[in-house]
Amino acid sequence: EKTNETFEPICIADMASQEDLIWNISLQARIDAALDNGEIYLAFQPKVMVQTGEMIGAEALVRWKDPVKGHIPPDYFIRQCEIAGRMSQLTKFVLGAACKAGKDFEDAGLHLPIAVNISATLLHERSIVSMVSRVLEETGFDPRRLTLEITETYRISNLDLAAEILGELKALGTKISMDDFGVGAASLEALLKLPFSELKIDRMFIAPMTNDPKALGIVKSVLQLGRDLRIIVVAEGVEDTGTLTLLRDSGCVVAQGFAISRPITFDRIIEYHRHSQDEPLRDMV
Ligand code: C2E
Ligand code: MG
Ligand code: MG
Ligand code: MG
């Protein structure tokens, strides 16, 4: 069902450990059924131009609404998916649903680039290339409008193999983005060796930048790095207009975050698009 809710995940961190274990096992066992019966679906978060508020893309974020427990945090069930060996099934579902949505946006007159998150662990095998190319073929979505955000790049064990696989994905026409930039040890090495055309500064640097000069320094350096490498830098996790203004003044071009829009439903993306044309973001900052 499509609602106007804002996808606040429930907190399950404080469950007793025995209960935890049972819950984890039940999640792992229910993944396939949940994919089939609509418990797992997508939300979309706008990526906007800092200067104008124009929406230049939307990131597909997977959601799992358990009929009893409500929303399960993605970080949490994605981990369980990995443990259960179901990452590739989940990713296939997300890619399919995201490209289908991209096509439906086009039918609604909105030619919106769509970003899909891809776990670094999927770059250990070539099968991701045929999966992406099959989904593109089946949905008819323009590959040039698909961005693959590689999450947790520091988990890539073989950068040479990952470089080959990403090269093949790029050859299909897709764009490759480095998610969570700055987190983990291998960020710069991965940036050197892999064919990224975008990097997303992790929100751990964006959130404190208005009151921590160190965080601000790091953000400004990454923005300069992006200019030198000629790749787009996206600031994620922008939670207030002060941060948005500071990003604009630091030369940041693209941003994402609760201050701009929370992850929202397909229908609300279309509304957001109409609204942002009437009332550009520049009036807010
Ligand atoms: P991510 O790719 O870095 O996605 C951004 C996360 O930050 C999302 O959390 C989003 O809801 C949240 N966020 C956006 N703006 C703000 C903000 O202003 N403040 C704060 N505090 N948070 C904000 P979400 O949806 O819980 O996803 C968490 C992570 O789960 C994602 O991080 C991504 O790594 C992973 N993920 C989500 N969907 C998928 C998927 O389909 N496949 C894979 N492999 N990973 C996914
Ligand atoms: Mg992402
Ligand atoms: Mg991110
Ligand atoms: Mg992140």
Side-chain angles (χ1 to χ4, degrees), residues 25-83:
I25 290 167
S26 104
L27 278 187
Q28 291 170 33
R30 288 188 293 126
I31 290 162
D32 291 321
L35 285 171
D36 285 341
N37 68 21
E39 282 175 44
I40 295 178
Y41 58 97
L42 299 183
F44 299 89
Q45 187 177 36
K47 287 181 167 177
V48 307
M49 296 291 284
V50 172
Q51 289 285 346
T52 62
E54 184 196 352
M55 178 167 54
I56 54 149
E59 177 178 5
L61 292 161
V62 69
R63 295 291 178 259
W64 186 346
K65 192 175 182 193
D66 180 87
V68 179
K69 304 250 183 189
H71 287 290
I72 306 167
D75 282 328
Y76 183 77
F77 73 75
I78 284 161
R79 180 92 196 99
Q80 297 309 318
C81 247
E82 261 180 3
I83 293 168

Side-chain angles (χ1 to χ4, degrees), residues 133-153:
S133 87
R134 199 170 316 128
V135 166
L136 286 167
E137 218 171 87
E138 282 169 8
T139 58
F141 188 57
D142 184 346
R144 290 167 303 180
R145 291 212 181 94
L146 180 64
T147 296
L148 303 172
E149 292 188 5
I150 312 302
T151 64
E152 299 183 297
T153 319

Side-chain angles (χ1 to χ4, degrees), residues 28 35 42 50 53 62 70 73 84 95 103 116 132 137 150 194 211 216 229 233 236 244 255:
Q28 291 170 33
L35 285 171
L42 299 183
V50 172
V62 69
L95 275 166
K103 266 302 239 192
V116 171
V132 171
E137 218 171 87
I150 312 302
L194 304 178
N211 48 42
L216 178 60
L229 299 184
V233 176
E236 69 167 27
L244 194 56

Side-chain angles (χ1 to χ4, degrees), residues 99-154:
C99 291
K100 162 100 173 43
K103 266 302 239 192
D104 292 344
F105 285 132
E106 282 175 11
D107 292 343
L110 178 56
H111 300 278
L112 192 66
I114 303 287
V116 171
N117 290 287
I118 303 287
S119 290
T121 50
L122 291 179
L123 301 182
H124 298 165
E125 274 183 64
R126 288 180 189 280
S127 54
I128 184 70
V129 180
S130 46
M131 185 197 292
V132 171
S133 87
R134 199 170 316 128
V135 166
L136 286 167
E137 218 171 87
E138 282 169 8
T139 58
F141 188 57
D142 184 346
R144 290 167 303 180
R145 291 212 181 94
L146 180 64
T147 296
L148 303 172
E149 292 188 5
I150 312 302
T151 64
E152 299 183 297
T153 319
Y154 54 87

Side-chain angles (χ1 to χ4, degrees), residues 249-264:
D249 296 346
S250 308
C252 178
V253 178
V254 184
Q256 218 180 351
F258 293 171
I260 299 156
S261 170
R262 291 196 168 237
I264 51 182

